[in-house]
Amino acid sequence: MADLESALGAIVGEAGVLTADGDKEKYLTDWPGANTGRAAAVVRPASTGEVSGVLKWANETKTPVFPQGGNTATSGGGVPDGAGNSIVLSLERMKAVRETSVSARTITVEAGVVLQEIHRLAEERDLFFPLSLGAQGSCMIGGNLATNAGGINVVRYGNARELCLGLEAVLPDGRVMDVLTGLHKDNTGYDLRDLFIGSEGTLGVITAATLKLFPLPKARATAFAAVPDINRALELLNRMQAETGGAVEAFEMIPKLMMEQYEKHLPHLKRPFADPPDLSILMEVAATSDREAAPAEDGAVPVMEQLEAILGEAFETGHVTDAVIAAAEQQRLEFWELRESAYEAVVKSGPRIGFDISLPLDQVHDFVANTEAAVEGIFPGARLSSVGHLGDGNLHYTVYPPDGEADRLEELRAEIKRAVLDSVGGYRGSFSAEHGIGDSKLTEMAAYKDPVAIDVMKSIKAALDPNGIMNPGRVLPA
Ligand SMILES: Cc1cc2nc3c(=O)[nH]c(=O)nc-3n(C[C@H](O)[C@H](O)[C@H](O)COP(=O)(O)OP(=O)(O)OC[C@H]3O[C@@H](n4cnc5c(N)ncnc54)[C@H](O)[C@@H]3O)c2cc1C
């Protein structure tokens, strides 16, 4: 232990190495408290050179390394395993902003910059970084890229992958790979940036990234609308996209059960409807031009009027049965607080089987109907909830037991999981849409991922990390 401490201290300085139990604690348990691991030390390098030194040492000593950003991952990938011989490599001290270009609309930041801080830095320059998720006050851009995070704005701007132009990464042997460009076009061989995005720390450590920035919306129109079913919700989305020139920033589905869970577990949150409808959609349209954003003499904001008109027409055609448009910024924030508290309300709702799945948009309706029937056949009375980013086909699909039958849920867990995931596979969907694999979805990876794709991944892993030091036991099934 003393050897490890002094070797690492020589690379990152004494203050950069934590070995006392109390100091390590917060790095060893993940956000919901579901996973706890052990580590010989937590190492906190402050520069790319120090990350390189740590990985070179770990590779030579064959010490497992668990990279960590904000430790908000929900798939068990952010904390070390239980062996205790590893190090956690925290990026939290790598917080530099290396460059910002307003004219190129890019920002280059180190991996430890918290997502919300990137939002602030962009807004200071009248620009916008769209990646937006419930954990944005804690998660870091390195972690967002390592997990290819999604969130609420994917319908317009894409995942973390689409928002990154280039990155810098340290390979397991300590070499620094510099593909940190701000280029939009760069066809010079294999796309190594994309290889690291979504690799969940299994191939190396992302130390910096150049990100795309966008025009800052000057006004937003936000509404909750009750819709009769998912297919009609999708028709509404397509109509909104056509009417607004693709300015739909979010289209989030919230079923009745979720609204009831807010009422029960987070009663301080304001809910849009006194009687929750079976299905509601939280939608937002953004305007970046004065033409659409500036209030007229009577105070009317064009983008709000446009959303009102779309929803009015949707009433006529039966696509919407009720709607509440946020009249002021405060009400808009309340709508979003509700959506962003979904995970917290789900965690408080007790025993459940949760899925983070994605489906082709035109199959979501059939999937929900047919899978409900399959689950009902296995566990009569089970309650189902599909909360999700409907605009991009990502559902956070949850199965809850009937009251008082939590034990039965455990007995049926494997059977229900198989039925739901077989159903996802039948629609050519994905068993992991945005939360990654970590160590919680290795069985699904082995069962549902194309075996040739897994072989290719294993070859890449073996080529880059022959000693298997990076995030061992994560992402790739044995
Ligand atoms: C309330 C809440 C809401 C959430 N909502 C969403 C959502 O809407 N969409 C979504 O996609 N996710 C969501 N998440 C999950 C989580 O926030 C994201 O996965 C986030 O991108 C993780 O970032 P992090 O910095 O916390 O990474 P960590 O949890 O620290 O790490 C995640 C993984 O990335 C690896 N890693 C971290 N940093 C690096 C690095 N610099 N280089 C290489 N590997 C690294 C880790 O080893 C681990 O495997 C949510 C989580 C919470 C708690």
Side-chain angles (χ1 to χ4, degrees):
M1 179 63 125
D3 285 355
L4 173 137
E5 218 172 326
S6 69
L8 290 169
I11 301 166
V12 300
E14 267 176 39
V17 187
L18 310 176
T19 51
D21 286 347
D23 294 339
K24 289 188 291 186
E25 202 178 326
K26 77 170 177 132
Y27 305 88
L28 302 181
T29 298
D30 65 6
W31 179 82
N35 299 281
T36 299
R38 293 168 60 228
V42 175
V43 189
R44 302 157 63 239
S47 67
T48 302
E50 289 184 6
V51 174
S52 164
V54 172
L55 290 194
K56 191 164 184 299
W57 168 87
N59 201 39
E60 283 165 6
T61 56
K62 298 194 171 50
T63 304
V65 179
F66 292 91
Q68 191 178 88
N71 192 12
T72 66
T74 50
S75 54
V79 290
D81 60 20
N85 61 339
S86 63
I87 56 169
V88 171
L89 191 153
S90 167
L91 277 302
E92 68 188 355
R93 288 172 74 205
M94 291 200 56
K95 289 196 176 304
V97 178
R98 293 199 188 161
E99 205 179 339
T100 314
S101 170
V102 171
S103 52
R105 290 193 178 150
T106 57
I107 185 166
T108 300
V109 290
E110 292 189 340
V113 179
V114 169
L115 178 55
Q116 200 161 274
E117 175 64 3
I118 301 176
H119 294 165
R120 195 189 64 73
L121 290 163
E123 278 174 36
E124 254 178 25
R125 291 158 176 83
D126 220 15
L127 291 169
F128 177 54
F129 184 61
L131 186 66
S132 182
L133 38 120
Q136 62 198 26
S138 309
C139 62
M140 298 174 187
I141 193 66
N144 298 143
L145 291 167
T147 56
N148 187 24
I152 55 174
N153 286 334
V154 174
V155 61
R156 184 165 190 188
Y157 301 97
N159 292 315
R161 185 185 302 284
E162 278 82 43
L163 303 173
C164 175
L165 290 169
L167 54 77
E168 175 189 88
V170 181
L171 304 184
D173 62 8
R175 283 179 298 159
V176 178
M177 185 181 76
D178 178 1
V179 287
L180 189 62
T181 77
L183 301 174
H184 290 262
K185 290 186 170 177
D186 181 19
N187 284 346
T188 51
Y190 305 144
D191 195 330
L192 299 173
R193 169 203 60 180
D194 271 357
L195 186 60
F196 276 75
I197 297 174
S199 63
E200 297 186 48
T202 57
L203 299 179
V205 175
I206 297 168
T207 43
T210 299
L211 308 169
K212 287 187 207 170
L213 301 177
F214 295 81
L216 183 66
K218 293 187 169 125
R220 291 183 168 99
T222 311
F224 255 108
V227 292
D229 61 46
I230 293 173
N231 273 345
R232 265 175 291 183
L234 272 184
E235 285 168 13
L236 174 63
L237 170 63
N238 289 335
R239 197 181 300 168
M240 284 174 69
Q241 295 285 30
E243 294 286 320
T244 63
V248 178
E249 300 237 324
F251 201 79
E252 300 284 301
M253 175 160 88
I254 303 188
K256 185 174 188 167
L257 181 58
M258 187 75 241
M259 290 289 187
E260 290 168 351
Q261 286 167 336
Y262 287 132
E263 188 174 356
K264 190 165 174 195
H265 302 293
L266 301 171
H268 62 282
L269 295 177
K270 291 210 172 108
R271 294 175 303 282
F273 303 107
D275 283 328
D278 285 344
L279 198 58
S280 45
I281 302 286
L282 171 58
M283 57 189 70
E284 186 159 276
V285 179
T288 54
S289 71
D290 286 336
R291 185 169 39 81
E292 295 162 312
E297 274 178 16
D298 63 359
V301 179
V303 67
M304 295 268 277
E305 293 200 311
Q306 190 180 30
L307 183 60
E308 272 170 34
I310 294 169
L311 288 174
E313 198 183 310
F315 268 116
E316 305 288 317
T317 57
H319 286 75
V320 163
T321 54
D322 196 0
V324 186
I325 298 183
E329 181 62 10
Q330 179 56 30
Q331 196 177 11
R332 172 181 172 266
L333 294 176
E334 284 164 9
F335 284 2
W336 278 111
E337 192 185 0
L338 201 66
R339 174 63 189 93
E340 281 158 10
S341 304
Y343 190 55
E344 192 184 340
V346 167
V347 169
K348 289 188 166 165
S349 297
R352 66 195 178 278
I353 309 175
F355 300 88
D356 164 38
I357 54 177
S358 65
L359 295 142
L361 290 186
D362 58 354
Q363 304 296 314
V364 176
H365 180 279
D366 286 2
F367 165 83
V368 170
N370 292 335
T371 310
E372 183 169 351
V375 174
E376 177 67 21
I378 298 169
F379 195 2
R383 293 164 301 148
L384 302 172
S385 167
S386 300
V387 177
H389 314 296
L390 185 60
D392 59 48
N394 176 191
L395 300 184
H396 299 303
Y397 187 81
T398 312
V399 180
Y400 299 93
D403 282 341
E405 293 195 48
D407 291 348
R408 187 85 184 114
L409 182 77
E410 288 316 311
E411 286 162 24
L412 295 171
R413 182 174 284 271
E415 198 180 340
I416 292 172
K417 271 182 92 165
R418 197 165 47 248
V420 172
L421 295 178
D422 282 354
S423 179
V424 171
Y427 290 95
R428 292 191 69 75
S430 170
F431 61 88
S432 180
E434 62 174 11
H435 287 177
I437 304 299
D439 60 4
S440 64
K441 290 190 192 133
L442 292 172
T443 315
E444 289 88 330
M445 199 65 175
Y448 295 100
K449 187 80 184 176
D450 174 59
V452 178
I454 291 186
D455 273 356
V456 173
M457 289 189 210
K458 284 185 172 173
S459 306
I460 294 169
K461 169 80 174 168
L464 292 184
D465 184 18
N467 291 329
I469 61 163
M470 296 302 309
N471 240 349
R474 307 285 158 82
V475 179
L476 295 171

